[in-house]
Amino acid sequence: MAEYIWLDGKKPTAELRAKTKIIEGPVTSLEQIPVWGFDGSSTEQAEGRFSDCGLKPVYFVPDPIRGGKNILVMCEVLNADGSPHATNTRAVLENVAAKFAEQNPWFGVEQEYTLYQGDRPFGWPEAGFPGPQGKYYCGVGNDKVYGRPLVEDHMQSCLDAGLTISGINAEVMPAQWEFQIGPLPALQAADQLWLARWLLQRLGEDYNAYAKLDPKPVEGDWNGAGGHTNFSTESMRGDNGIEFIKAACEKLKSFHAQHIAVYGAGNEKRLTGKHETCSVHEFRSGVGDRGASVRIPTRVSNEGRGYLEDRRPAANLDPYQIFTALLETTCGQGFDSKKYNWA
């Protein structure tokens, strides 16, 4: 059983779709996984009178839910003629990543999400609100942590699938969690993030819960949900790398508006200057500053090398778009979201 997974054409934020194909196995290479198709008119990617779209396998891992020799297959969406579909943001990143491959860039994403049951965050009272924030972040105990069985199951499933998950933690708002993917090269990091998201949603079916990636799931004095993106090049990780990090921050400042355009729908509700964010209308970088747009970790500053943390992306980020923007701005001449009809 091969679970073909792809991104639909929903606006402003694409969602995951999947279906199962029975193929000959065991599968040891992408070449063994055939191109498939689907009804694009049902995913907002085609019209009903000419609705065939293609699924091109680009990455696969063991299926930790079905087990055995079954696999999860990340796919790109193609037009009927085999060209990349307009919604295929991965094909864009593939070209950009190849252009800057000699700089050996690495990416990691800190994926925050909010567990929901029905129309309420998981574990919240049916009416009213839980106690104020303060005790929930990295908490332990039934009065502080909501949904841990699903979170633990998800972490183990990511490990069983061979994904580079580097940790999990409960977040500041109750029922809000985070997992981290990376560091990895651009395409691998992005593919793995999407597969980890799919696993989270699929396992949620077994727990009568689902993960919401809304940047501001609950209005008021509650933290939003981000997708902090850690990024480095070989120069940043090398001797005197801090100077390359600072130079990258200056470039990012110059293209702040262009980045914000693709950093997640509804992100302005989260980037208010409160709750560990910088205002969407401002760019600021700083050492150890979680209220900055881009944070340089204190350890990185002390050691003079390492990476930067772009804190602007929302939880509903498309990593293919985010990584493209970071590469074009820091390694090239700058990013223009209109170039790809992304904004």
Side-chain angles (χ1 to χ4, degrees), residues 65-81:
I65 297 175
R66 288 172 169 154
K69 298 176 181 178
N70 303 302
I71 56 175
L72 305 178
V73 185
M74 194 68 209
C75 299
E76 287 187 10
V77 176
L78 305 178
N79 296 310
D81 63 2

Side-chain angles (χ1 to χ4, degrees), residues 68-207:
K69 298 176 181 178
N70 303 302
I71 56 175
L72 305 178
V73 185
M74 194 68 209
C75 299
E76 287 187 10
V77 176
L78 305 178
N79 296 310
D81 63 2
S83 61
H85 192 273
T87 62
N88 184 347
T89 53
R90 187 186 189 277
V92 173
L93 174 60
E94 185 173 22
N95 290 332
V96 172
K99 184 165 62 172
F100 299 113
E102 74 282 355
Q103 299 195 40
N104 195 18
W106 292 353
F107 294 85
V109 175
E110 303 169 23
Q111 176 68 71
E112 295 178 347
Y113 60 93
T114 309
L115 288 180
Y116 265 69
Q117 197 164 42
D119 61 356
R120 299 282 290 174
F122 191 91
W124 283 35
E126 293 184 7
F129 299 91
Q133 296 182 155
K135 66 179 182 179
Y136 306 106
Y137 174 70
C138 294
V140 61
N142 197 46
D143 61 331
K144 303 179 185 70
V145 175
Y146 306 154
R148 191 185 294 276
L150 169 53
V151 172
E152 293 280 340
D153 197 358
H154 174 250
M155 177 171 59
Q156 187 61 56
S157 294
C158 287
L159 290 170
D160 292 345
L163 303 183
T164 308
I165 184 169
S166 52
I168 63 168
N169 60 269
E171 268 301 333
V172 177
M173 190 179 86
Q176 199 172 81
W177 291 83
E178 175 186 299
F179 66 86
Q180 303 97 34
I181 292 290
L184 291 164
L187 286 173
Q188 199 173 351
D191 290 342
Q192 288 199 16
L193 180 65
W194 279 114
L195 290 174
R197 285 172 166 178
W198 184 89
L199 282 169
L200 181 61
Q201 300 291 24
R202 168 60 187 84
L203 289 167
E205 296 174 14
D206 300 337
Y207 289 86

